[in-house]
Amino acid sequence: MHKILPTIMLFLFCLCASSQTKPIDSSVTTKAKPKNIDFNVMPYLNYNRTLDFMFGAIPMMMYKLNKADTISPKSLSGISAVYTTNKSYFVASFNKWYFNEDKWRAQFIFVTGDQNAQFYVDDINTPDFYDYATKKTVVAMTLQRKVVKSLYAGIGYSYAHYDTKYEDDIQPSSVTQTNGLQLNMMYDTRDAVYYPTKGDKVKLRWIGYPTWVGNDVSANKILSEYNKYFPMRSGTDVLAARFSGKFGLGNISFEQQVTIGGEDIRGYSEGKYRGDGLMALQAEYRYNFNKKMGLVGFAGVATIYGSDTSDFNWNLYPGAGIGYRYRAFKHEKFNVGLDAAVGKGDWGLYFRIGEAF
């Protein structure tokens, strides 16, 4: 815990410093019009049991693609650059675009970096965690069109290149390249895309990795989620609930496997529970004690299948924790924050860009 406290204190200090504003000039009587582009730079400070301390910066902006479009939500673009004390690094660009009166939605993500992590091996004489290093580049894009009210359908493409080496040659080094083709559907009745207080979000995605687009072996993934939002305290707070299912079918590579952790179930950062698929349920209460800051409390449970360690399959893995939220933009309810959670023999800290779900 002595490593966690400095991280939390430094994170809160940076947020407080970024919230400092100039004194208001009493001679100004006219109210300034909101700018089309809302820009901010957030510090990235985190600690992870696998990556150790993480430092970085995230410049991001919200904007309207068309000023005359009063129906589409604001678009979001940003860049993150992160370095860790275990000598990993990541550079990423993330974009969400809403246009033509919210009839079209698009996303584009680019990630490159060198990840030094670990995974658990038990089918050897000395079961233990073993390190691995992956140099990776990932590009993903999706495009959706509104079909009828609240229902979107679309397509997507993803490219990934992984160069992985394992400690003590516990597994042979591998170079994996995948090309994924995606069909997706989304039913969205949320009252806001960045901080919903009511409504539903249902997503279903099928991602195929056929050999005819350059994959060495054929595989498929089905990704599903159902998020539900309930207004509380006259709409000041939110109770959010989520089901997530990730199902790998066929020849799922090591890099394509899922691990318990992240947005699906917080409290797991060792990367111990890895498999071809998972299912998770969780709920989160979002308490807003003023316009700029809030607290969250959350709990959930997950299970996995297709693990190389058969004893891990279909067990229940609970997780629970609390978090702090800070409003990143002046004219849009969009939060960043820090979560702390505990799981089954594990724990984790999570820097958030937006809500967990």
Side-chain angles (χ1 to χ4, degrees):
M1 290 297 293
H2 67 283
K3 290 185 177 181
I4 306 174
L5 291 176
T7 303
I8 297 175
M9 293 175 64
L10 185 56
F11 172 81
L12 295 176
F13 173 79
C14 290
L15 286 182
C16 292
S18 68
S19 67
Q20 297 294 323
T21 57
K22 294 181 180 180
I24 298 174
D25 188 350
S26 60
S27 65
V28 178
T29 57
T30 59
K31 192 173 182 179
K33 294 182 179 180
K35 296 180 180 179
N36 183 49
I37 297 178
D38 201 351
F39 179 80
N40 203 348
V41 179
M42 300 303 300
Y44 184 94
L45 300 164
N46 207 349
Y47 179 81
N48 183 291
R49 296 186 73 183
T50 299
L51 300 175
D52 296 336
F53 282 100
M54 293 171 271
F55 308 89
I58 307 174
M60 53 186 175
M61 61 182 181
M62 303 189 79
Y63 53 93
K64 284 279 190 179
L65 289 174
N66 182 354
K67 293 182 180 180
D69 185 352
T70 60
I71 297 177
S72 297
K74 285 187 175 181
S75 297
L76 172 69
S77 294
I79 297 173
S80 61
V82 177
Y83 179 79
T84 79
T85 53
N86 83 339
K87 299 182 180 179
S88 299
Y89 72 88
F90 308 93
V91 178
S93 171
F94 53 93
N95 302 270
K96 292 184 177 182
W97 294 301
Y98 303 88
F99 50 98
N100 194 13
E101 298 183 340
D102 203 20
K103 294 177 183 176
W104 290 91
R105 296 181 174 185
Q107 293 189 37
F108 176 80
I109 299 172
F110 169 79
V111 181
T112 188
D114 193 348
Q115 179 181 6
N116 298 310
Q118 63 181 11
F119 71 112
Y120 187 79
V121 182
D122 76 335
D123 57 350
I124 55 175
N125 294 331
T126 309
D128 203 350
F129 285 98
Y130 287 84
D131 294 336
Y132 69 92
T134 298
K135 294 180 179 180
K136 64 180 180 180
T137 299
V138 178
V139 178
M141 61 193 77
T142 59
L143 179 65
Q144 291 181 321
R145 175 69 161 86
K146 182 181 287 186
V147 180
V148 294
K149 183 180 180 180
S150 304
L151 180 64
Y152 294 81
I155 57 175
Y157 169 76
S158 62
Y159 166 84
H161 184 275
Y162 306 98
D163 185 353
T164 303
K165 294 180 173 58
Y166 301 90
E167 178 189 16
D168 298 332
D169 295 323
I170 195 70
Q171 290 187 21
S173 299
S174 63
V175 176
T176 304
Q177 181 174 301
T178 63
N179 294 273
L181 304 178
Q182 180 182 145
L183 296 175
N184 60 68
M185 296 187 69
M186 178 172 65
Y187 177 73
D188 188 0
T189 63
R190 296 171 297 169
D191 58 342
V193 297
Y194 296 116
Y195 192 87
T197 61
K198 60 182 178 180
D200 302 271
K201 178 186 176 185
V202 184
K203 290 181 69 176
L204 181 63
R205 290 176 286 168
W206 171 83
I207 305 176
Y209 301 92
T211 54
W212 59 267
V213 291
N215 296 295
D216 293 332
V217 294
S218 178
N220 294 276
K221 279 188 173 183
I222 298 175
L223 309 179
S224 62
E225 63 181 74
Y226 174 37
N227 302 335
K228 179 75 174 179
Y229 305 91
F230 304 91
M232 309 295 288
R233 286 207 307 142
S234 300
T236 303
D237 299 344
V238 181
L239 175 63
R242 171 182 171 87
F243 164 80
S244 174
K246 299 179 179 179
F247 309 99
L249 307 171
N251 297 294
I252 300 298
S253 67
F254 175 82
E255 293 85 359
Q256 289 175 315
Q257 287 184 319
V258 293
T259 56
I260 290 181
E263 65 179 3
D264 293 306
I265 187 76
R266 283 160 282 182
Y268 296 86
S269 63
E270 285 186 315
K272 182 175 183 178
Y273 304 108
R274 170 187 290 269
D276 291 346
L278 67 79
M279 288 181 286
L281 286 169
Q282 63 174 312
E284 178 173 287
Y285 191 90
R286 298 167 183 171
Y287 171 67
N288 295 292
F289 55 85
N290 68 28
K291 291 184 178 181
K292 281 189 170 290
M293 291 181 284
L295 300 173
V296 301
F298 51 88
V301 64
T303 189
I304 60 170
Y305 72 88
S307 173
D308 291 337
T309 304
S310 59
D311 290 342
F312 292 166
N313 291 325
W314 303 113
N315 289 330
L316 295 180
Y317 301 95
I322 58 174
Y324 168 81
R325 296 291 182 268
Y326 175 80
R327 185 168 174 168
F329 294 104
K330 182 178 181 180
H331 302 295
E332 189 77 27
K333 180 66 172 177
F334 182 91
N335 288 337
V336 297
L338 186 69
D339 293 340
V342 295
K344 184 178 180 180
D346 201 352
W347 57 269
L349 288 176
Y350 307 87
F351 183 91
R352 302 238 66 94
I353 304 174
E355 298 301 331
F357 55 91

